[in-house]
Amino acid sequence: MTNYDNLFSKPIDNLGDWTFNDCVAEVFPNMTQRSIPGYSNIISIIGMMSNRFARPGTQIYDLGCALGAATQVMCHTIHHNDCRIIAVDNSPSMIERCRRHISSIQTMIPTEIVESDICTISIENASLVVLNFTMQFIKLVHRQTLLNRIYAGLNLGGALILSEKFSFDDHCINELLFNMHHDFKLANGYSKLEINQKHSMLKNVMLTDTIEVHKQRLTEAGFNHIELFFQYFNFGSLIAIKSKS
């Protein structure tokens, strides 16, 4: 049973910066569903994409796996077992629960859950890499290097799925979609106090980019085919494919 997110329902004197601790991990499934527009759709699409891109004898990476939602759907939708999923996160609280969740499902796909920094882990022989709302928590100075390493570790024809919260250069559009996201959270039962306190904690930790900046980085990394395939307000997902030749 999913625990209900009421972590910020009462005033907190010293909020500090956001961390993926035990308290967040306990309510994370409820938090993502109520906070991220289109989250279930994105997870479903990751499953569909994984079945298309996963190749026998290769590795699939879920970088910043949290509780393993993307890993679980890939375990269910990849139709052959001659590959391996490697799920990585640097939060001990998330990794502990991710291991528990993955061990409870029936799958023929070998799955390794790793507690590590995704900026240092080796990426090799990959047919698919997933960054599902992860890049926005990586320091700006490390983002291009991470994408370069992912590209180098992908086999020809391999793909990267990158889901993020976006910012927009057009102030009018940026404000509109920010407010629409605010209304989305209100409609899902969050109070203004909860929304404001969470925003305060995230503002120094979650640094968003425009879609154009993401595409520029992916191009610089070497990807030949890049496009936005899903967007709901200021959240969405891009696909980047390493050319087969």
Side-chain angles (χ1 to χ4, degrees):
M1 183 176 178
T2 299
N3 292 323
Y4 193 77
D5 175 22
N6 59 3
L7 295 181
F8 310 109
S9 59
K10 296 179 180 179
I12 300 172
D13 291 333
N14 298 307
L15 287 167
D17 285 337
W18 182 269
T19 59
F20 290 98
N21 55 26
D22 278 340
C23 294
V24 171
E26 278 297 307
V27 301
F28 196 67
N30 182 258
M31 180 184 290
T32 53
Q33 291 294 336
R34 295 168 61 207
S35 301
I36 302 178
Y39 186 77
S40 295
N41 300 90
I42 291 170
I43 293 297
S44 177
I45 295 168
I46 288 172
M48 296 168 66
M49 291 277 195
S50 69
N51 187 50
R52 179 173 292 272
F53 284 98
R55 294 289 181 267
T58 67
Q59 302 187 132
I60 295 100
Y61 291 83
D62 182 4
L63 302 180
C65 63
L67 300 186
T71 293
Q72 289 183 62
V73 75
M74 290 190 291
C75 284
H76 288 306
T77 53
I78 295 174
H79 290 160
H80 61 80
N81 58 14
D82 187 20
C83 61
R84 182 167 70 126
I85 298 175
I86 302 172
V88 187
D89 204 288
N90 65 356
S91 165
S93 300
M94 292 292 186
I95 284 294
E96 176 192 350
R97 290 161 178 81
C98 182
R99 287 186 176 130
R100 194 187 311 157
H101 293 167
I102 298 302
S103 66
S104 69
I105 66 175
Q106 291 186 339
T107 176
M108 298 296 293
I109 310 295
T111 305
E112 182 180 358
I113 313 298
V114 181
E115 182 184 333
S116 185
D117 182 350
I118 67 168
C119 290
T120 61
I121 194 165
S122 176
I123 300 169
E124 56 188 9
N125 187 29
S127 55
L128 179 67
V129 176
V130 175
L131 283 168
N132 200 41
F133 301 104
T134 300
M135 185 70 82
Q136 58 205 24
F137 294 104
I138 301 297
K139 291 182 179 180
L140 290 170
V141 68
H142 297 316
R143 294 183 185 183
Q144 186 64 59
T145 301
L146 175 59
L147 291 177
N148 293 348
R149 291 178 56 250
I150 291 171
Y151 181 84
L154 274 169
N155 297 333
L156 297 180
L160 166 65
I161 297 173
L162 176 65
S163 304
E164 289 281 288
K165 181 180 181 181
F166 301 129
S167 55
F168 298 86
D169 288 330
D170 186 311
H171 174 74
C172 180
I173 296 297
N174 196 62
E175 184 177 25
L176 170 65
L177 296 183
F178 177 89
N179 290 334
M180 293 298 291
H181 180 220
H182 184 275
D183 292 346
F184 174 88
K185 290 181 286 188
L186 287 173
N188 281 320
Y190 284 116
S191 67
K192 290 184 178 181
L193 174 65
E194 289 175 290
I195 294 169
N196 291 338
Q197 289 194 130
K198 185 177 178 183
H199 176 74
S200 178
M201 295 178 72
L202 283 168
K203 65 182 180 182
N204 296 322
V205 178
M206 187 175 74
L207 304 177
T208 60
D209 292 309
T210 65
I211 296 169
E212 290 74 21
V213 166
H214 283 297
K215 286 186 173 182
Q216 288 169 7
R217 284 204 196 100
L218 291 165
T219 299
E220 185 173 336
F223 287 98
N224 311 86
H225 312 283
I226 306 161
E227 194 51 79
L228 181 74
F229 68 83
F230 182 90
Q231 185 177 347
Y232 191 151
F233 299 148
N234 48 351
F235 289 77
S237 300
L238 297 104
I239 182 81
I241 302 172
K242 186 172 182 176
S243 180
K244 293 182 179 180
S245 59

